[in-house]
Amino acid sequence: MDSLKMLKIARNGYIAISLIFCAMGLFLVCKPGCSAVIFCTIIGLLFIADGIIKMIGYFSKDVYCLAFQFDFAFGILMAAVGIVILVRRESIMHLIFAVLGLMVLMDALIRIQMSIDARRFGLSLWWRILLAAILVGIFGMILLIDPYGGAKMTMVLTGISFLLEGALNLGVAIYTVKVIEGKWDRYDQ
């Protein structure tokens, strides 16, 4: 597969997964009492899909090389966590919010580092990514601590975290992944 095609798949996949995270976040805010089994199934599948898109992104060659620079290892981790959530759904229920908080926090930390790299690269809106990543990280920490012990309020916080996570990744995909036709010949050699 050529580099341009792979980059388009990664960028469009990133955008689609980000929108799904936003939709899932809105759903959880509006319906915090949803079935735990359905919730875990959807989260597991979403993490697997996100992991695959992240790995594809890592091997694509975008102009800025910012959005996907840490996504190979994190993509493998996302997919593995998604599989564990699906396979061990019943036994992971008491840990699910801590797991989600840890994954959200890790992604926020990666985005904080990416925003600093974006600043060095000369992207003028790097600070928006930084502020959004810090906000996402705060919600990740709240989920990790799980102050409500699995109550409906924790599900609402999960929804807010997913909404912010999706918005952050959508902004990163749109702002830092540039698909420029005709610029790929030098990479394909």
Side-chain angles (χ1 to χ4, degrees):
M1 181 180 302
D2 72 347
S3 296
L4 183 58
K5 189 178 217 180
M6 186 179 273
L7 180 61
K8 285 180 180 180
I9 290 170
R11 184 176 192 265
N12 293 337
Y14 233 71
I15 290 169
I17 292 292
S18 298
L19 292 173
I20 293 169
F21 264 103
C22 289
M24 184 71 178
L26 287 173
F27 175 78
L28 292 175
V29 168
C30 295
K31 297 274 188 190
C34 71
S35 163
V37 173
I38 292 172
F39 173 72
C40 282
T41 302
I42 292 170
I43 296 303
L45 292 172
L46 186 57
F47 275 23
I48 292 168
D50 192 25
I52 291 168
I53 293 299
K54 286 181 184 306
M55 287 184 275
I56 291 170
Y58 178 80
F59 289 108
S60 68
K61 295 175 181 154
D62 67 301
V63 174
Y64 294 144
C65 297
L66 288 171
F68 308 125
Q69 65 182 327
F70 306 109
D71 278 1
F72 183 67
F74 195 55
I76 292 171
L77 180 63
M78 289 287 290
V81 169
I83 291 168
V84 169
I85 290 172
L86 287 176
V87 172
R88 304 287 301 190
R89 199 175 16 227
E90 304 300 323
S91 60
I92 202 166
M93 290 304 290
H94 65 284
L95 293 174
I96 193 69
F97 297 112
V99 170
L100 296 177
L102 186 59
M103 298 304 286
V104 168
L105 178 61
M106 288 174 57
D107 194 47
L109 294 172
I110 288 171
R111 298 300 171 209
I112 288 169
Q113 183 174 348
M114 191 209 74
S115 70
I116 293 166
D117 292 341
R119 179 177 181 231
R120 285 188 204 133
F121 198 84
L123 297 179
S124 61
L125 299 177
W126 64 272
W127 58 272
R128 288 185 183 175
I129 295 170
L130 176 65
L131 292 177
I134 290 170
L135 183 61
V136 169
I138 289 168
F139 274 89
M141 279 298 297
I142 291 170
L143 281 179
L144 194 55
I145 295 168
D146 191 16
Y148 299 102
K152 285 186 179 182
M153 189 59 190
T154 302
M155 195 66 91
V156 170
L157 289 172
T158 302
I160 294 169
S161 296
F162 279 15
L163 183 59
L164 293 172
E165 173 79 11
L168 171 63
N169 285 329
L170 183 62
V172 166
I174 291 170
Y175 183 59
T176 66
V177 180
K178 299 298 179 197
V179 177
I180 301 173
E181 305 281 344
K183 294 272 185 176
W184 303 104
D185 298 333
R186 63 189 170 124
Y187 291 115
D188 290 332
Q189 296 175 0

